[in-house]
Amino acid sequence: DAWYPGIEGGAAVAATLFGDVSPAGRAPVTFYEATSDLPAMTDMGWYANATSGSRGITYRYFEGTPLYPFGHGLSYTTFAYSALALDADAHAPCDAIAVTVTVTNTGARTSDEVVQVYLKHPDASVPAPHVRLAAFERVKAVAPGASVTVTLTVPPAARALVYGGDARGGAVYTAASGLTLERGRVEVHVGGGQPGYAAGTVAAATTITRTAKASTCEEGASL
């Protein structure tokens, strides 16, 4: 699928098919196996909500196996990820997390690569995404055998949770209740796609030292 490529779309598709360029685009949506995997048309809950019965929608809450996951893409070469490092083992609620990784072209073609950072929240006390994209960067024209060191920044907003005050368990979680930067472990996964689907992803973890409202951070926060 070329989406809406414009007047030069045909030339771009031909150049890719005939190997003049190596593709590096990534899917901005999830391709599901069947319509039965789709949420109800009336379910527009971007996050879990006990009142509406929504378990959350999009790839962030999907529990099945998609045909092609969000972030999926192909290439005429291969890339290896190594030397993943975070700037600290622990972060305050409003700290950004600096993520550094080495990306090596292990194939025979020069190509771009889209480095993706995903987060998981194993210690969350409220319904949280199973996985969420937190940062990405396209590195261009990496030659065969070459390595590139990439540093990406995960802002506090990228790990904010929808949090219903002191509520727990099956309580209602709505954006109006406030975005919260919750204490606990945050897993950081880096690779060419989602962890569990893209081969060769690497992982590290940091600990958020305390809980605070996202509104207390100077930059604010959004979902």
Side-chain angles (χ1 to χ4, degrees), residues 23-201:
R26 295 294 181 266
V29 295
T30 301
F31 291 84
Y32 296 95
E33 282 275 8
T35 54
S36 58
D37 291 331
L38 296 170
M41 291 296 292
T42 55
D43 187 353
M44 298 301 291
W46 291 99
Y47 32 82
N49 186 305
T51 296
S52 69
S54 174
R55 300 175 67 179
I57 63 173
T58 77
Y59 76 96
R60 299 181 305 166
Y61 292 95
F62 184 56
E63 296 179 348
T65 301
L67 181 64
Y68 299 111
F70 174 91
H72 171 77
L74 299 175
S75 175
Y76 290 145
T77 191
T78 54
F79 288 91
Y81 287 75
S82 62
L84 175 62
L86 308 183
D87 60 335
D89 294 330
H91 291 81
C94 292
D95 288 347
I97 302 172
V99 181
T100 302
V101 68
T102 298
V103 183
T104 302
N105 185 339
T106 55
R109 293 288 302 274
T110 296
S111 181
D112 292 1
E113 170 71 339
V114 179
V115 181
Q116 302 172 53
V117 178
Y118 289 88
L119 302 183
K120 294 185 179 183
H121 304 270
D123 294 340
S125 66
V126 297
H130 304 312
V131 66
R132 54 163 36 159
L133 181 68
F136 66 92
E137 182 174 331
R138 185 175 184 130
V139 291
K140 297 185 176 182
V142 183
S147 295
V148 178
T149 298
V150 182
T151 298
L152 305 96
T153 300
V154 176
R159 53 181 169 79
L161 302 178
V162 178
Y163 189 77
D166 292 328
R168 294 290 188 276
V172 180
Y173 301 94
T174 64
S177 299
L179 295 172
T180 298
L181 303 162
E182 196 171 63
R183 66 177 298 178
R185 191 165 178 261
V186 175
E187 296 179 1
V188 179
H189 299 258
V190 184
Q194 281 191 53
Y197 297 109
T201 57

